[in-house]
Amino acid sequence: TSVFTASTHDYLLFFTNTGRVHRKKGYLIPEAGRAAKGTNIVNVLPLEAGERVTAGLSVREFDEDSYLVMITRMGTVKRLELSVLNTARKAGIRALTLDEGDELIEVRRTDGHQNILLVTHDGMAICFKETDIRCMGRDAVGVRGIRLKEGDYVVGAARAVEGHTLLSITENGYGKRTAIEEYLRGDGGEPQKRGGSGLKNYHVTEKTGKVVAAKVVTGEEDILMISDDGTIIRMDAADINIYSRSTQGVRVMRVAEGVKVISLARAEKETEDSAPLSEEE
């Protein structure tokens, strides 16, 4: 799930699980009210069979000093200059070549000087300088971002900003925020390097279930949590307690037996003006 704001004159970049990117002007996306069902993405983009959108962002200009960092489910990372994607080709273009069985899950825009944080299903995380990833062409495969144990996979990635927190959510509805500084300094006080096994991010137990999503938050936004039975809850990110890396967190969403949390998204804080009206009002 991805939520972002954009102008009608921005370019919207839609990245798919197969490593392709599609470009559309904002005004070409059908507008609808808050409660509307929306338009199926296959009616907007020329997607191939089995191809689905896994990341999106808005771009005003394809400036020379901006970069994109792409992250795959199996821990591969790739960095390329944003300007490389400045093409009007209607069918979409390749942004990343994937190894068999892998898929693109996250894309982050950077200024070339960010720290990148990867989070895994089994509760690990790694944080490294984006300059550890040399810039590559559109057809390149990328390099190892994190060394995964058998069965583990990446569930989220973000820019690690000092003063912010990493919000991690598990499949059984547990979660916590952890200070970004705990990831920036590593266990020995030195920054980590790309390609290592990482640090413990979450104490995963049978009660909590494994990590399904993670976002870097300021504490000044709302978050949306979605379960596989279609339930969505919205809450203030600041209401989720801050704990250290190797803790279990607390219950933040109650789910029924057999139901799992599957997704997490950031949203602008809901004000009284934007809240739904009660029957009396």
Side-chain angles (χ1 to χ4, degrees):
T1 303
S2 181
V3 178
F4 58 90
T5 57
S7 159
T8 54
H9 296 290
D10 287 348
Y11 288 105
L12 304 184
L13 300 181
F14 297 95
F15 295 85
T16 74
N17 59 319
T18 64
R20 294 202 305 156
V21 58
H22 298 264
R23 185 177 91 166
K24 284 281 183 185
K25 271 288 195 176
Y27 57 75
L28 294 176
I29 307 300
E31 188 174 342
R34 185 175 63 184
K37 190 174 180 180
T39 303
N40 194 314
I41 199 75
V42 299
N43 296 323
V44 179
L45 304 176
L47 299 180
E48 298 173 350
E51 187 178 20
R52 67 183 191 280
V53 174
T54 54
L57 53 87
S58 64
V59 171
R60 180 60 53 89
E61 296 176 352
F62 289 84
D63 44 277
E64 298 291 332
D65 54 355
S66 286
Y67 302 84
L68 295 179
V69 176
M70 293 174 279
I71 299 96
T72 78
R73 177 183 170 93
M74 300 314 297
T76 293
V77 292
K78 177 180 172 181
R79 187 164 69 114
L80 81 169
E81 295 170 349
L82 176 62
S83 57
V84 170
L85 301 185
N86 189 12
T87 172
R89 187 177 170 197
K90 288 189 167 53
I93 60 172
R94 179 141 309 280
L96 167 69
T97 297
L98 292 161
D99 290 331
E100 188 171 349
D102 203 358
E103 62 179 11
L104 179 64
I105 62 164
E106 295 272 13
V107 179
R108 290 288 175 264
R109 185 177 178 177
T110 74
D111 58 6
H113 306 286
Q114 299 290 318
N115 291 297
I116 304 299
L117 179 60
L118 309 186
V119 178
T120 82
H121 189 52
D122 285 346
M124 301 300 289
I126 194 168
C127 184
F128 53 83
K129 292 183 173 67
E130 72 166 275
T131 48
D132 283 358
I133 318 166
R134 63 178 178 82
C135 279
M136 304 173 192
R138 288 197 296 106
D139 293 327
V141 175
V143 293
R144 188 195 300 275
I146 185 169
R147 187 178 300 278
L148 297 167
K149 292 182 179 175
E150 187 174 354
D152 198 7
Y153 56 91
V154 177
V155 296
R159 293 162 298 199
V161 181
E162 289 191 62
H164 294 181
T165 56
L166 177 69
L167 169 62
S168 302
I169 299 293
T170 71
E171 56 194 2
N172 291 345
Y174 284 77
K176 64 174 179 174
R177 290 187 296 142
T178 302
I180 288 297
E181 285 72 15
E182 291 203 32
Y183 305 91
L184 290 173
R185 64 170 180 254
D187 271 342
E190 294 294 324
Q192 293 176 270
K193 295 291 185 183
R194 171 187 67 76
S197 298
L199 308 168
K200 190 168 188 177
N201 167 54
Y202 209 103
H203 180 47
V204 169
T205 66
E206 188 174 340
K207 179 180 75 173
T208 65
K210 296 190 176 183
V211 180
V212 293
K215 302 281 185 187
V216 169
V217 296
T218 65
E220 297 179 356
E221 65 272 88
D222 282 354
I223 58 160
L224 306 173
M225 281 175 284
I226 304 158
S227 59
D228 60 9
D229 66 348
T231 303
I232 301 176
I233 68 164
R234 183 174 189 146
M235 65 186 298
D236 190 333
D239 288 342
I240 299 177
N241 291 344
I242 296 177
Y243 295 101
S244 62
R245 285 190 291 103
S246 56
T247 53
Q248 289 187 37
V250 293
R251 187 185 292 279
V252 293
M253 180 177 185
R254 293 204 171 272
V255 291
E257 184 75 26
V259 174
K260 303 291 185 187
V261 179
I262 58 172
S263 188
L264 169 69
R266 285 185 303 259
E268 291 183 12
K269 186 162 287 189
E270 194 169 63
T271 63
E272 289 184 14
D273 291 340
S274 64
L277 297 176
S278 68
E279 288 185 15
E280 291 180 0
E281 293 173 307

